[in-house]
Amino acid sequence: MLTLGTIDKDTAGEQKLTVQYLDKTIEYTVKVCEITSLEIRGVASSVQSGKPIDISGMKVFGVYNDKENTLVELNEGITTNIEELNTTYLNSTEARVLNVSYSGVYGELTGSVTVYTSAPELISIEIENFNKEVLLNNAYDKTSVVVYANY
């Protein structure tokens, strides 16, 4: 008769598993793996200053500490500081750090993504109220010139 021992699936770490068949017994070491970190995907690594960070495509994965670093998608218990980043720091030229926290059946974990800020791209400029002519030996009056930058 084959007898297979048990392990405590709720306790992380190495455990002994005993297998017995007839008069022979063998012990194996089994590692009960746990999620030890978060992997955050779907958040752009850069955004133009003045534009909000978009997390609509964000996916959060728990990373197990097994040999393959197995991922499990976490869909509940996720919080971020996105509201603060998109209000208080919206026009900042500094890099913004998106903090992601998970609290649930796998414990409590945190991770972050640094989102770098770039200046907006200048598309064109327009000039209004400029004099198209100037008399020889007279100064050009620039006081009425208006320049618009289009981003």
Side-chain angles (χ1 to χ4, degrees):
M1 171 176 219
L2 177 66
T3 305
L4 183 61
T6 61
I7 58 170
D8 181 359
K9 65 176 181 58
D10 296 322
T11 303
E14 291 188 352
Q15 298 180 33
K16 298 289 184 194
L17 178 64
T18 304
V19 179
Q20 184 176 6
Y21 181 69
L22 299 176
D23 65 338
K24 302 296 182 198
T25 302
I26 191 167
E27 269 192 1
Y28 288 96
T29 300
V30 175
K31 180 180 179 184
V32 177
C33 299
E34 63 184 322
I35 293 178
T36 56
S37 62
L38 296 180
E39 185 171 308
I40 302 151
R41 297 180 182 173
V43 178
S45 60
S46 66
V47 67
Q48 288 184 350
S49 179
K51 302 263 182 175
I53 297 171
D54 180 12
I55 63 167
S56 62
M58 179 178 80
K59 292 187 181 267
V60 179
F61 297 90
V63 182
Y64 276 99
N65 64 341
D66 60 351
K67 290 179 184 175
E68 289 82 30
N69 291 324
T70 302
L71 300 178
V72 60
E73 187 170 358
L74 304 173
N75 295 310
E76 296 177 0
I78 304 294
T79 58
T80 70
N81 63 332
I82 191 65
E83 194 169 312
E84 176 187 16
L85 294 179
N86 284 344
T87 54
T88 306
Y89 299 103
L90 182 63
N91 293 312
S92 173
T93 56
E94 304 281 323
R96 296 181 245 173
V97 178
L98 174 67
N99 294 315
V100 179
S101 297
Y102 166 78
S103 181
V105 296
Y106 299 107
E108 293 186 6
L109 299 158
T110 59
S112 64
V113 176
T114 301
V115 180
Y116 295 93
T117 305
S118 61
E121 181 181 342
L122 179 62
I123 297 170
S124 65
I125 61 170
E126 297 176 33
I127 301 174
E128 291 182 359
N129 300 332
F130 64 95
N131 294 325
K132 294 184 180 181
E133 296 178 341
V134 63
L135 299 175
L136 184 63
N137 295 323
N138 284 303
Y140 184 78
D141 180 14
K142 301 180 269 184
T143 57
S144 64
V145 176
V146 178
V147 178
Y148 297 98
N150 298 310
Y151 291 91

